[in-house]
Amino acid sequence: MPSTNRRISLKIRLLVVLLAAVIIPSVVIAGILVRTGAEREQRRIFAEMQAVTEAVSDDISEFMGNVQSILVTASLSHAYWVSRRQALSDLQKKFPFFEQLAIYDFSGHAQIIVRQMGTTWQPPQVLTRLAIKEAMAGRNYTSDVQFVMPHSPLVLVAVPIGQPGEPPSEVLFGVVSLETLEDIISKVRMGRGEYVFVVDKKGRVIAHPLERMHLIGADFSRLGPVRQALQGRTDTALAREDIFIDPSGREVAGVFRRVPNLGWIVVVQLPVSEAFGSQAGTFAIALAWAFLFAVLFGLFGLYLVRRVTIPISKLKEGAEAIGSGNLSWRINVRTQDELEDLADALNQMAENLEVSRRQLEEEHDRAVRAAREANILFRVSQSLVFSMGLEHRLMVVARNLADVCDASKAALWLVENEYLKPAISHGLSAEEKEFYASWSLPLSTADPMVKEAVERRKPIVIHDAANDPRVPPEFAAKLKLRSVLAVPLVFHENVIGYGITFTQDELRRFTRRQVRLAQAVAAQGAVAIENARAYERERRISETLQRSFLPEVPEVIGSFQFADRYEAALAEAQIGGDFYDVIEISPDKVALVMADVSGKGLSAAIHTALIKYTVRAYAIEGLDPIGLITRLNKAVYKFIGGQVFITCFYGVLDTVSGVLEYVNAGHELPLLNSSQRRLCMSLATTGTALGIVESFPFTSKSIKFEPGDVLLLYTDGATEARRNGQFLGIEGLEEMFCQLAHEDALYIVDQLDLRIREYAKGVLHDDLALLVVKAGQELK
């Protein structure tokens, strides 16, 4: 009896230890995993919702910015309207979000009012006075949101009207319907209960996808996310205080973002069940598994505890031997009970483990081979995309064909006009390269090895090239071929080339793995080679077109030095719209041109060519700057107006008197440095960009060069060079230019180019064009 009590006590103690060892860590780990996973999911969801708020905020800012830009453009061209009422009506038809357009004088009297059908709202005097006050100061004005019509929020936008260079005299009012915001927020619905609404800076709804007739104008200032935004707090994570009940009765969590310059608030809401999830189910599963492990370990413990005799020692000894990896060990227990069964089971387990180990080793070897193959193909693909150059890609294919087959030599031929022509080789001696380079032959009379590979479109293995009739004897002898693997290069079912890898020192049998890898390398290579060929063709066309746009600028004309520089932003076959020109109109007069045509590619090339040669044609006619730009503006308006954005600087320099008369049609402000006058300044714009208004009255200005004065013409690729998101800007460019102005023209342009690219860390986001004009000391 005492021994029985001791056995029961031992069982209990062992079971308790086993259960504690299983249950406690399982519960703790399950809790940690559940919590960590929930927090990670919440961060991911928050990031997605923040991205949505940012996108909607940017779209709203862009919309309101476009509204102001439209009114500003209209105000600049008002003096040339044939009928002011008709002009406002046309503008309202083109942009129907204007509920009302009106022109007021500074006394507050409406001169002209154009309204949409059914619109009766008149801006109150308090808004009118504020708008007029801002306009008199030369500033634009945007009112708070007005809820004057049922479910139709409005905003009053006003801009001053006046002649260029003169104080404003009137105000252009635009009453803007915010129904467009409904289209903006409707684009971002993600189909899982998430949607977006927008409130003004007082917390009133101005856009909502649900029950619009009842919600527009509603006060949401007490909702968690709206309240936090109104208090000036920053949204950093999904929080429990952001939970509220939406109009459909659901419990939701919100993420907010303020719209810059407007104070409006964009809120993205998501059902609480998706925002925070439920951890109970996952935790319950973890507990269930912990309980199951505890039961299993408990039963196993009972089984072990009941065996405290010599057979257990033998079992322990055998288990330790087998566990240490000695799978040939066998346990000899003959008790005619479960212990003997356990011993037999352990013996059988050892035997099965021995079999499984051999199988695992074979699987491991196969997995290692597969991983190596995948790694090889990955390296090949990376090497192929490293450069678009055809020669680089050919070398990658040749080198990897040899590598995957453990061979030292490889050669490639490409199909050109039904001929196989040598493309590149790897590992060949100088004598072998010379012979290889001469081995060009038509596909129709190619040797049997080539024909077989091309016709079958599959790899061909030649075990002994010297004794195989498919290999020409001269070819085998000159390259000392032994074992050869030939693979076709196939692109879209068309054979574009052919490659071989071979040994010279011994006969080899290429394995199926090597043949498979060689075929995969050839397949990747064919696509890369064909893409490189297409790129080379496009690049040649691009370079030819781009070179045709760049003038040959003389270094000296009269008493003036000239220097230019052009840098394309992109390495691909893309043609930019920047161009410049120096045109010798007469022995003592030179035209200076710097322009920027928006866009890339063929469209930009067409428009650039049109502008460039139109300017040259007008310049040769001897037109003054105003006449030339006026005629050019009409041509642009008639033929390409509205398609692109074109800015242009045109000036005529008298190389004897040093006087430059110029017109700047919306282009980047040129910089002038004068050491004698101790100034470094920018030359003002004298008109709008080309093609916006057909009969815009451009004006001209003139400056006189003193000896040593330097003028810099440039495009926005210079000022928009950026580092860590920070633009160089006109101030940064001016600082660089003024530091260099005492040098000669060529040194100035070289250093400006170098410093701008250094500021941008070698990555230009737009094309860069520079033209430097410097007056010599001999100028009178």
Side-chain angles (χ1 to χ4, degrees):
M1 182 67 66
S3 87
T4 302
N5 289 338
R6 284 195 298 273
R7 287 197 300 271
I8 293 174
S9 177
L10 181 60
K11 290 178 182 179
I12 293 173
R13 287 197 296 270
L14 288 174
L15 285 175
V16 169
V17 172
L18 286 169
L19 290 173
V22 173
I23 292 176
I24 294 175
S26 297
V27 171
V28 172
I29 293 173
I32 293 174
L33 291 176
V34 170
R35 180 175 179 180
T36 303
E39 290 176 350
R40 184 168 57 251
E41 181 65 11
Q42 286 180 26
R43 289 195 296 270
R44 184 189 65 79
I45 293 173
F46 175 76
E48 291 181 356
M49 295 172 71
Q50 276 283 40
V52 172
T53 63
E54 183 175 356
V56 174
S57 174
D58 291 345
D59 288 347
I60 292 175
S61 292
E62 182 179 3
F63 167 70
M64 292 305 296
N66 289 340
V67 169
Q68 275 203 358
S69 297
I70 292 168
L71 292 178
V72 169
T73 301
S75 69
L76 291 174
S77 59
H78 80 286
Y80 314 103
W81 295 340
V82 176
S83 167
R84 303 176 88 184
R85 179 175 296 277
Q86 183 60 44
L88 294 184
S89 297
D90 292 343
L91 188 63
Q92 192 175 52
K93 289 177 183 178
K94 188 173 183 180
F95 303 104
F97 48 74
F98 286 114
E99 293 285 339
Q100 182 184 129
L101 290 169
I103 297 177
Y104 279 66
D105 60 25
F106 282 169
S107 65
H109 293 99
Q111 303 298 308
I112 296 174
I113 299 178
V114 177
R115 295 187 176 94
Q116 295 279 13
M117 292 292 294
T119 300
T120 60
W121 182 70
Q122 183 72 16
Q125 289 187 357
V126 62
L127 292 183
T128 305
R129 286 196 296 271
L130 283 174
I132 292 174
K133 182 179 179 181
E134 292 296 310
M136 292 175 68
R139 295 188 293 266
N140 299 334
Y141 171 77
T142 300
S143 73
D144 291 341
V145 179
Q146 307 293 310
F147 295 90
V148 297
M149 300 174 62
H151 320 299
S152 180
L154 303 173
V155 169
L156 175 64
V157 180
V159 298
I161 298 176
Q163 295 296 334
E166 298 180 4
S169 58
E170 295 177 309
V171 187
L172 175 59
F173 281 11
V175 178
V176 181
S177 171
L178 297 183
E179 290 183 2
T180 301
L181 302 186
E182 301 289 343
D183 296 331
I184 294 175
I185 67 174
S186 65
K187 296 188 296 184
V188 297
R189 189 163 183 174
M190 299 177 63
R192 58 175 185 182
E194 178 183 36
Y195 64 79
V196 182
F197 65 87
V198 185
V199 301
D200 67 1
K201 58 186 178 183
K202 295 181 181 179
R204 298 171 299 179
V205 177
I206 57 178
H208 203 292
L210 300 179
E211 302 183 47
R212 185 179 186 280
M213 298 297 291
H214 303 289
L215 294 178
I216 299 301
D219 186 1
F220 275 22
S221 61
R222 295 187 179 182
L223 293 184
V226 177
R227 184 178 65 254
Q228 292 187 57
L230 293 176
Q231 292 172 352
R233 294 174 59 183
T234 302
D235 204 1
T236 58
L238 282 173
R240 294 288 177 180
E241 58 264 31
D242 295 337
I243 295 176
F244 59 95
I245 304 298
D246 77 346
S248 64
R250 296 180 304 171
E251 191 176 31
V252 296
V255 169
F256 65 87
R257 184 180 184 87
R258 286 180 290 274
V259 180
N261 303 324
L262 295 174
W264 301 349
I265 302 163
V266 178
V267 180
V268 177
Q269 69 174 42
L270 186 68
V272 169
S273 59
E274 294 185 34
F276 297 97
S278 175
Q279 304 175 12
T282 305
F283 197 75
I285 293 173
L287 288 177
W289 277 106
F291 177 76
L292 178 60
F293 289 149
V295 171
L296 293 176
F297 272 78
L299 294 175
F300 186 60
L302 281 174
Y303 186 80
L304 291 178
V305 170
R306 288 162 52 190
R307 302 301 182 199
V308 290
T309 60
I310 293 175
I312 288 184
S313 299
K314 291 184 178 181
L315 289 171
K316 177 184 176 184
E317 182 183 6
E320 288 177 349
I322 294 171
S324 65
N326 187 1
L327 299 181
S328 62
W329 186 282
R330 295 296 179 264
I331 302 171
N332 185 17
V333 172
R334 295 291 178 263
T335 59
Q336 303 297 317
D337 60 11
E338 290 84 353
L339 289 176
E340 184 176 343
D341 294 339
L342 178 58
D344 293 341
L346 288 173
N347 291 332
Q348 183 62 45
M349 181 185 70
E351 184 178 345
N352 292 339
L353 285 174
E354 181 68 24
V355 174
S356 297
R357 183 174 68 180
R358 289 194 295 268
Q359 293 176 346
L360 284 174
E361 288 175 350
E362 293 174 359
E363 289 291 335
H364 177 263
D365 290 342
R366 285 196 290 270
V368 169
R369 288 195 298 270
R372 287 175 180 170
E373 293 177 7
N375 187 47
I376 289 170
L377 295 179
F378 175 71
R379 290 202 314 270
V380 171
S381 63
Q382 278 195 319
S383 300
L384 287 172
V385 301
F386 178 77
S387 170
M388 285 295 292
L390 177 60
E391 184 175 355
H392 168 80
R393 293 189 167 186
L394 287 169
M395 180 53 72
V396 169
V397 175
R399 184 177 62 248
N400 282 281
L401 276 179
D403 288 347
V404 299
C405 296
D406 294 327
S408 58
K409 313 274 185 174
L412 298 179
W413 287 260
L414 293 181
V415 176
E416 295 182 13
N417 299 323
E418 297 301 320
Y419 267 78
L420 275 175
K421 295 187 177 181
I424 206 162
S425 64
H426 169 71
L428 300 187
S429 66
E431 182 181 352
E432 291 165 348
K433 281 185 178 179
E434 183 178 357
F435 172 77
Y436 154 77
S438 67
W439 195 261
S440 176
L441 64 164
L443 276 173
S444 58
T445 60
D447 54 76
M449 178 176 64
V450 176
K451 282 190 173 181
E452 184 176 351
V454 170
E455 291 174 359
R456 293 178 56 189
R457 287 173 170 75
K458 290 182 179 180
I460 302 298
V461 177
I462 306 293
H463 178 60
D464 185 359
N467 298 307
D468 195 305
R470 293 175 292 181
V471 183
E474 181 187 6
F475 187 75
K478 289 289 188 179
L479 295 182
K480 305 181 185 66
L481 301 181
R482 298 301 301 275
S483 298
V484 182
L485 174 62
V487 289
L489 303 177
V490 182
F491 179 77
H492 289 173
E493 301 299 323
N494 295 319
V495 177
I496 67 166
Y498 162 80
I500 62 170
T501 183
F502 56 92
T503 63
Q504 293 180 327
D505 53 350
E506 61 178 351
L507 293 176
R508 288 269 304 281
R509 291 195 178 275
F510 295 103
T511 65
R512 284 184 294 178
R513 168 183 168 274
Q514 290 174 328
V515 173
R516 186 173 62 251
L517 278 174
Q519 191 171 15
V521 170
Q524 285 192 5
V527 175
I529 290 168
E530 197 61 24
N531 288 341
R533 281 172 150 182
Y535 169 75
E536 290 289 338
R537 290 192 294 269
E538 292 181 8
R539 187 172 62 83
R540 286 194 296 271
I541 295 172
S542 174
E543 289 178 350
T544 301
L545 286 173
Q546 194 69 63
R547 284 195 300 270
S548 70
F549 294 153
L550 301 179
E552 292 193 10
V553 176
E555 294 183 4
V556 177
I557 301 178
S559 300
F560 287 83
Q561 298 176 9
F562 295 83
D564 65 302
R565 185 59 46 86
Y566 179 85
E567 296 283 355
L570 301 176
E572 291 81 0
Q574 293 286 322
I575 308 165
D578 293 6
F579 78 91
Y580 55 91
D581 210 345
V582 176
I583 309 167
E584 296 187 58
I585 303 173
S586 67
D588 57 355
K589 288 191 177 181
V590 178
L592 307 178
V593 185
M594 180 66 69
D596 190 355
V597 180
S598 62
K600 291 281 184 184
L602 184 58
S603 175
I606 294 172
H607 296 140
T608 301
L610 173 64
I611 299 302
K612 175 177 179 178
Y613 294 111
T614 301
V615 169
R616 282 196 169 189
Y618 289 164
I620 292 173
E621 290 181 10
L623 295 176
D624 62 12
I626 294 179
L628 185 144
I629 290 295
T630 300
R631 291 181 64 179
L632 182 63
N633 178 63
K634 290 182 178 181
V636 171
Y637 183 89
K638 181 176 181 180
F639 295 109
I640 57 175
Q643 300 179 37
V644 293
F645 186 78
I646 303 173
T647 64
C648 181
F649 175 94
Y650 179 81
V652 176
L653 173 63
D654 188 321
T655 57
V656 175
S657 66
V659 174
L660 172 69
E661 182 183 3
Y662 68 90
V663 175
N664 187 347
H667 194 69
E668 300 290 318
L669 305 182
L671 297 175
L672 175 68
N673 182 277
S674 178
S675 57
Q676 291 192 7
R677 288 172 283 191
R678 295 184 180 180
L679 59 83
C680 187
M681 66 178 187
S682 57
L683 306 184
T685 297
T686 63
T688 186
L690 300 178
I692 296 178
V693 180
E694 182 178 8
S695 299
F696 189 87
F698 293 96
T699 59
S700 67
K701 292 190 176 182
S702 62
I703 59 170
K704 186 178 187 310
F705 280 86
E706 298 294 340
D709 285 2
V710 188
L711 177 68
L712 172 64
L713 305 178
Y714 58 93
T715 57
D716 57 5
T719 54
E720 293 181 4
R722 65 195 72 171
R723 173 184 289 178
N724 301 326
Q726 184 70 34
F727 287 107
L728 175 62
I730 190 170
E731 295 85 1
L733 180 63
E734 183 176 344
E735 182 179 354
M736 291 181 183
F737 172 61
C738 293
Q739 292 174 355
L740 298 167
H742 62 281
E743 304 287 351
D744 60 37
L746 182 59
Y747 185 83
I748 293 173
V749 84
D750 285 341
Q751 286 297 307
L752 280 177
D753 178 37
L754 176 63
R755 296 184 185 187
I756 291 170
R757 286 187 286 111
E758 284 180 348
Y759 181 85
K761 296 182 179 179
V763 180
L764 295 176
H765 295 272
D766 197 358
D767 297 343
L768 169 66
L770 303 171
L771 179 62
V772 173
V773 182
K774 182 165 186 175
Q777 296 297 328
E778 64 275 17
L779 180 67
K780 297 180 180 180

